[in-house]
Amino acid sequence: MTEHQLATLAHPDLLARATSPHDGMAGPMTFADLAAMRRTQPLQKVRKNEKDLTATERSRLLDAFNVINQSGAFGKFVAVHADMGHHQHRMSSSPTDLGAQRFLPWHRVLLDQMESALRRIHADVTIPYWDWTVDQQVPVWMAGVLPTVVVPGAMGGVIQVTRSPGDQQALRQITSRIDAVMGVGDFNTFVDGLESVHDDIHVWVGATMSDLMTAAADPLFYMHHANIDRLWWTWHPTHQNENPTLNGDNAVMDPWRVTELTTRDIANFHYSYR
């Protein structure tokens, strides 16, 4: 007697169930089906310019931020970024400074981890980018988004997000340097220029964003860094041999187990920019 016949004898309704649709898929569900599902790539995520978000997309993004803040997960991200032991920022004048080498790959992983946390609340949410070269003000719809964030750990506490942005002329002067940055050919010069612009925009936004210990408590931080990430993504295809020089543990974007090599291609994180 075949396995199919035995199963039918044991459970008269099994044949009907085995050949019926499963979650919208035509039956039967076989191990080959399961293997094919595992080979299927995750859905591509599209990070949009913040000004192009629909009202619904904005609402879901802010709701997701609120939920992970209330759960305490948001505060943990703030604590991770506040820990300079991760060497995620330039901390010396050396052109090969460890933090400068890790700045772009480390923050790419941070954004991916944050985006994953947000998508556990709303599966269609992605982190938009704030293109401050064009929209030279704090996005109007973000102006009132000033959460109170509880940060765990010895260096933690309660952060009430505030901003004190400068004027448009000041931001225009900062962002006018981007064309020169995008025109350089080597990684060290590129990242030095890009991080310098990045730093000055943190200062321009002011208050919470101007302090390394608190900056990541402002949701605008992630939109700012999405734009930095987008600019690296734009530059890299024509400079594919220009990458950070990291080895051993320095090439691991702690506290996550993601290597610098993995971060060179955003396809590994299944997102794109539009």
Side-chain angles (χ1 to χ4, degrees):
M1 183 174 290
T2 67
E3 181 180 351
H4 172 76
Q5 290 171 320
L6 285 171
T8 305
L9 286 174
H11 299 283
D13 66 334
L14 188 59
L15 179 60
R17 289 173 58 83
T19 56
S20 65
H22 295 262
D23 298 325
M25 298 175 58
M29 176 68 79
T30 67
F31 284 104
D33 295 327
L34 296 176
M37 286 170 58
R38 289 186 176 89
R39 290 193 297 270
T40 302
Q41 292 296 314
L43 291 176
Q44 186 79 354
K45 302 173 289 187
V46 178
R47 293 180 181 171
K48 300 164 66 172
N49 190 316
E50 56 81 18
K51 70 182 181 62
D52 294 330
L53 295 183
T54 66
T56 298
E57 288 171 331
R58 291 176 181 176
S59 177
R60 288 178 178 170
L61 175 66
L62 296 180
D63 183 62
F65 267 118
N66 182 59
V67 171
I68 67 170
N69 187 26
Q70 294 300 316
S71 73
F74 189 31
K76 293 177 182 178
F77 281 100
V78 180
V80 168
H81 184 266
D83 181 359
M84 294 300 110
H86 297 302
H87 302 285
Q88 69 272 44
H89 288 283
R90 172 183 287 279
M91 290 294 172
S92 78
S93 60
S94 169
T96 57
D97 179 88
L98 178 57
Q101 296 295 306
R102 286 168 60 89
F103 170 66
L104 291 173
W106 191 91
H107 283 88
R108 177 164 283 178
V109 179
L110 172 69
L111 284 178
D112 178 68
Q113 293 290 320
M114 171 58 77
E115 194 166 65
S116 295
L118 295 171
R119 286 170 68 86
R120 283 192 282 272
I121 309 306
H122 290 296
D124 56 349
V125 162
T126 55
I127 296 175
Y129 61 92
W130 169 33
D131 184 0
W132 22 253
T133 65
V134 177
D135 300 306
Q136 298 187 320
Q137 61 180 347
V138 172
V140 174
W141 63 278
M142 286 292 294
V145 181
L146 303 168
T148 301
V149 183
V150 178
V151 182
M155 300 295 290
V158 178
I159 300 172
Q160 175 58 60
V161 174
T162 59
R163 304 187 189 109
S164 55
D167 59 35
Q168 286 185 319
Q169 182 179 357
L171 184 56
R172 190 176 303 117
Q173 290 176 340
I174 295 168
T175 61
S176 67
R177 293 161 19 212
I178 281 296
D179 285 345
V181 170
M182 298 300 286
V184 303
D186 68 284
F187 180 82
N188 288 342
T189 306
F190 171 71
V191 73
D192 184 62
L194 189 57
E195 188 173 8
S196 177
V197 172
H198 150 275
D199 292 346
D200 287 347
I201 291 173
H202 271 277
V203 174
W204 181 88
V205 174
T208 302
M209 274 274 279
S210 67
D211 190 324
L212 281 165
M213 297 297 102
T214 61
D218 189 340
L220 187 62
F221 169 96
Y222 302 92
M223 295 163 58
H224 170 40
H225 272 276
N227 199 45
I228 294 293
D229 186 73
R230 181 182 68 91
L231 291 170
W232 181 27
W233 166 76
T234 302
W235 181 84
H236 191 258
T238 55
H239 304 84
Q240 292 191 22
N241 293 325
E242 292 294 326
N243 297 290
T245 51
L246 295 167
N247 298 291
D249 289 344
N250 290 335
V252 179
M253 302 299 107
D254 58 282
W256 309 287
R257 305 304 297 173
V258 180
T259 64
E260 179 274 319
L261 183 62
T262 301
T263 69
R264 296 180 187 180
D265 187 352
I266 64 174
N268 293 326
F269 301 93
H270 310 290
Y271 69 87
S272 61
Y273 285 103
R274 183 172 71 196

